[in-house]
Amino acid sequence: MGEKLLMKGNEVIAEAALRAGCRYYFGYPITPQTEIAHYMAKMMPKVNGTFIQAESEVAAINMVYGAASAGARVMTSSSSPGISLKQEGISYASCAELPAVIVNIVRCGPGLGGILPSQGDYFQAVKGGGHGDYKLVVLAPYSVQELYELTVEAFNIADRYRVLAMIMGDGTLGQMMEAVEFRDKEETPDFKKDWALTGTGMNREHNVVTSIYIKPEELEAHNIKLQKKYEQIALNETRVEVYNCDDADIIVAAYGSVARIVKNVIKMAQKEGIKVGLIRPITLWPFPSKAFEKYAQVPKAFLTVELSAGQMVEDVRLAVNGKNNVHFYGRMGGMLPTQKEILDRIKQILK
Amino acid sequence: MTHQEIIIAGFGGQGILSAGRILAYAGMLEGKNVSWLPSYGPEMRGGTANCHVIISDEPVGSPILNSATALIVMNGPSLEKFESFVVPGGLILTDSSLVTKSPARKDIDVCEIPATKMASDMGNLTYANIILIGKLIAKTGVTTIQNFTEALKKVLPEKKHYLIPEEIQALEAGMNY
């Protein structure tokens, strides 16, 4: 590892992408993630890459489709309303099995909403915001160091499986500065992209990248192939942090910046003799159901804390599968739960 | 054991965010865990700025502060907004050239420093934030002059490095006030 630097989350995402070999960035500015575009605009020319501020989010995602078809490492970033606009392109690229990275630094909705932190896009990211049976690999970092690690990982997962990978954060993570250490060199496995549209040179059959299958037999076969791929991803790429869960009185499920607040709550609770565990999904899809299954009967109850009206809590309930009570506490509109609020809720549940 | 939760607040343009950033960088060079979080929400539209800085021996949990061990304020509205955040026994530093009211609380340590006036006397108004940081460092020991100097080198663009000796003079003026 190199020198410790103090960097902003958004800038670290961009730097990580460059280090992972991303040489194409297409985006359209929106708070609270615009620093990603700033950084790319400044750095891309220095590495002979391409930065384009597209005319819209829709244009940007289709530029991603183009660059990915040609086998390039490519990224776009936006925030909630902008990600909504990209959904058609996301569905198309998923069908065409194009690898690329999409960053969503979530802000509050619905609608144009507000610019403060939120986790209200969980359903959109995890259950599919676009049409059809497809999945994104959704990574939810909770520190600036993880923004780096997981952005690099997102490119590798995307290339390994020919899928779209999404980094999902919020304004707290994007705007905060924290220490980060970059590796001297990224070890990128050699992904042979023999499917890419690189020109045949009249030496081979031409490749096809498409999202249209007119014959139902072909489209069903393609869907089955996609589902098999998602099964493989679920098997190999699920990531989770299980913290303080053995003998826990209550286990809290939280991801991203909320998990940081919960870690403070764990310390506060300890002083009062309450043992709080944390299961922190790092991949939101594939969801780490096994961790919840394993601990389903350990605590007196589960509590899911989110910056939403209750989205991930549905997956927690599915994973706990009726073996325990799963409570929910959420704030919306950019309001954040305080440590005391969460601890009070825990005490109320345990009473 | 070090654990400081610091809020710095004032108007946009007073160097609120950069003061916090340099302080956090210096804390990191001190070997501490640090975080820096700027205000970027609707309050910025009113021309006010604030940032939350944590410098700790322990890993930093949430970077969002609901309370503070130290508060630096460079305008009146910020004192009103954040005075109640300070924990009993905590520290409030005000730029008394601009904040005319004194903190009402009696259970905290208060330092009122005419930082803007002092900076103006030094010939550069933009050092007021550094003067206040100087006092904060003297009071809390979160970092040293040496690491603050190193942090300035990291945060300031190279073409501004010629200012560092004056910045350190401002820091020392605050420390010794």
Side-chain angles (χ1 to χ4, degrees):
Chain A
M1 299 295 242
E3 180 193 0
K4 242 188 203 178
L5 301 169
L6 187 71
M7 281 178 78
K8 208 173 213 198
N10 282 333
E11 293 182 342
V12 166
I13 294 170
E15 176 63 28
L18 292 169
R19 283 168 181 264
C22 172
R23 290 295 175 270
Y24 297 86
Y25 172 91
F26 310 112
Y28 187 84
I30 179 171
T31 307
Q33 62 77 52
T34 301
E35 291 87 353
I36 299 175
H38 281 171
Y39 198 89
M40 287 301 198
K42 193 169 68 183
M43 299 306 287
M44 273 300 186
K46 294 183 185 167
V47 294
N48 286 325
T50 298
F51 164 88
I52 293 179
Q53 178 173 324
E55 69 271 33
S56 70
E57 286 86 349
V58 176
I61 191 70
N62 284 293
M63 291 176 188
V64 168
Y65 190 106
S69 301
R73 282 202 152 177
V74 53
M75 181 168 96
T76 186
S77 66
S78 190
S79 179
S80 308
I83 296 290
S84 292
L85 288 166
K86 291 181 196 288
Q87 291 302 327
E88 180 193 53
I90 289 173
S91 174
Y92 277 50
S94 297
C95 185
E97 297 185 89
L98 292 173
V101 174
I102 299 160
V103 181
N104 184 5
I105 301 299
V106 181
R107 53 189 261 177
C108 346
L112 204 46
I115 60 177
L116 288 170
S118 165
Q119 297 181 327
D121 296 1
Y122 179 92
F123 282 154
Q124 186 194 54
V126 166
K127 310 290 179 188
H131 57 282
D133 284 306
Y134 74 90
K135 289 286 182 194
L136 306 178
V137 175
V138 184
L139 299 153
Y142 93 135
S143 66
V144 171
Q145 183 68 34
E146 260 191 15
L147 282 173
Y148 159 54
E149 310 272 354
L150 293 180
T151 301
V152 172
E153 201 47 34
F155 279 100
N156 291 336
I157 291 172
D159 278 347
R160 192 173 303 133
Y161 299 97
R162 290 184 62 185
V163 286
L164 296 178
M166 175 177 274
I167 297 288
M168 202 157 113
D170 63 36
T172 307
L173 283 169
Q175 295 296 321
M176 76 182 285
M177 282 191 177
E178 203 171 30
V180 58
E181 277 180 84
F182 295 110
R183 288 176 285 270
D184 296 331
K185 196 176 173 295
E186 296 305 330
E187 299 291 336
T188 305
D190 184 23
F191 297 104
K192 274 212 166 73
K193 297 187 175 177
D194 51 9
W195 50 267
L197 309 185
T198 52
T200 62
M202 308 303 265
N203 295 321
R204 59 165 169 83
E205 276 294 296
H206 68 276
N207 288 333
V208 177
V209 167
T210 183
S211 82
I212 185 167
Y213 294 84
I214 290 294
K215 288 186 185 151
E217 295 82 1
E218 280 181 17
L219 183 51
E220 186 180 51
H222 184 64
N223 266 286
I224 289 168
K225 179 186 161 200
L226 291 179
Q227 293 303 317
K228 284 209 170 119
K229 176 162 81 176
Y230 299 145
E231 276 170 31
Q232 279 305 307
I233 295 173
L235 218 53
N236 301 333
E237 305 297 343
T238 307
R239 288 162 171 76
V240 64
E241 181 191 2
V242 175
Y243 180 78
N244 211 34
C245 282
D246 297 324
D247 318 318
D249 298 317
I250 187 165
I251 292 178
V252 177
Y255 68 94
S257 61
V258 178
R260 298 180 69 116
I261 304 177
V262 172
K263 283 204 170 168
N264 284 7
V265 173
I266 291 172
K267 272 190 217 161
M268 276 173 82
Q270 230 153 21
K271 287 181 195 152
E272 303 191 25
I274 306 167
K275 191 159 185 208
V276 180
L278 169 68
I279 296 183
R280 176 172 73 92
I282 297 172
T283 48
L284 302 181
W285 192 87
F287 191 72
S289 302
K290 288 225 166 67
F292 289 94
E293 268 169 51
K294 186 179 164 197
Y295 287 92
Q297 283 162 311
V298 170
K300 294 187 187 92
F302 283 81
L303 170 66
T304 305
V305 184
E306 297 175 58
L307 305 180
S308 79
Q311 302 193 12
M312 184 178 77
V313 64
E314 292 193 1
D315 285 331
V316 175
R317 286 192 177 124
L318 281 171
V320 171
N321 200 15
K323 290 182 187 132
N324 210 326
N325 287 324
V326 180
H327 300 266
F328 174 72
Y329 185 70
R331 296 295 302 263
M332 289 172 281
M335 299 299 292
L336 302 171
T338 63
Q339 295 156 37
K340 188 176 172 304
E341 269 169 48
I342 299 172
L343 185 57
D344 286 349
R345 187 84 175 92
I346 287 171
K347 286 184 196 165
Q348 194 192 346
I349 292 166
L350 290 177
K351 201 156 66 183
Chain B
M1 201 196 85
T2 305
H3 183 82
Q4 289 288 335
E5 301 183 341
I6 303 155
I7 296 177
I8 308 174
F11 289 122
Q14 283 179 313
I16 299 292
L17 300 186
S18 47
R21 203 176 142 205
I22 300 162
L23 185 66
Y25 222 120
M28 186 181 76
L29 296 174
E30 203 71 33
K32 310 289 184 196
N33 298 299
V34 303
S35 69
W36 171 93
L37 181 71
S39 54
Y40 72 94
E43 72 268 25
M44 285 185 76
R45 304 296 184 267
T48 64
N50 70 72
C51 63
H52 297 186
V53 175
I54 301 175
I55 301 176
S56 180
D57 286 326
E58 304 224 349
V60 174
S62 175
I64 306 149
L65 294 178
N66 306 124
S67 66
T69 56
L71 169 67
I72 297 179
V73 287
M74 295 186 70
N75 67 9
S78 296
L79 179 61
E80 255 168 61
K81 184 171 176 191
F82 291 114
E83 185 174 347
S84 63
F85 278 58
V86 181
V87 297
L91 173 67
I92 295 187
L93 298 161
T94 72
D95 182 343
S96 58
S97 314
L98 303 169
V99 183
T100 46
K101 263 175 74 177
S102 293
R105 288 181 52 187
K106 300 288 171 237
D107 59 342
I108 46 170
D109 188 6
V110 175
C111 298
E112 299 176 280
I113 303 169
T116 294
K117 165 101 183 24
M118 286 164 72
S120 155
D121 292 345
M122 285 181 72
N124 192 335
L125 273 177
T126 63
Y127 294 152
N129 57 353
I130 303 294
I131 290 171
L132 289 160
I133 294 285
K135 192 67 187 173
L136 178 89
I137 293 172
K139 282 274 181 185
T140 61
V142 280
T143 187
T144 56
I145 295 184
Q146 196 188 359
N147 277 332
F148 195 84
T149 312
E150 287 305 307
L152 281 169
K153 285 183 196 159
K154 297 283 183 189
V155 173
L156 294 177
E158 208 144 310
K159 61 179 186 214
K160 291 264 175 88
H161 280 196
Y162 73 95
L163 291 171
I164 292 176
E166 278 189 24
E167 303 245 12
I168 296 304
Q169 269 180 29
L171 191 80
E172 286 176 330
M175 289 177 116
N176 299 326
Y177 181 81

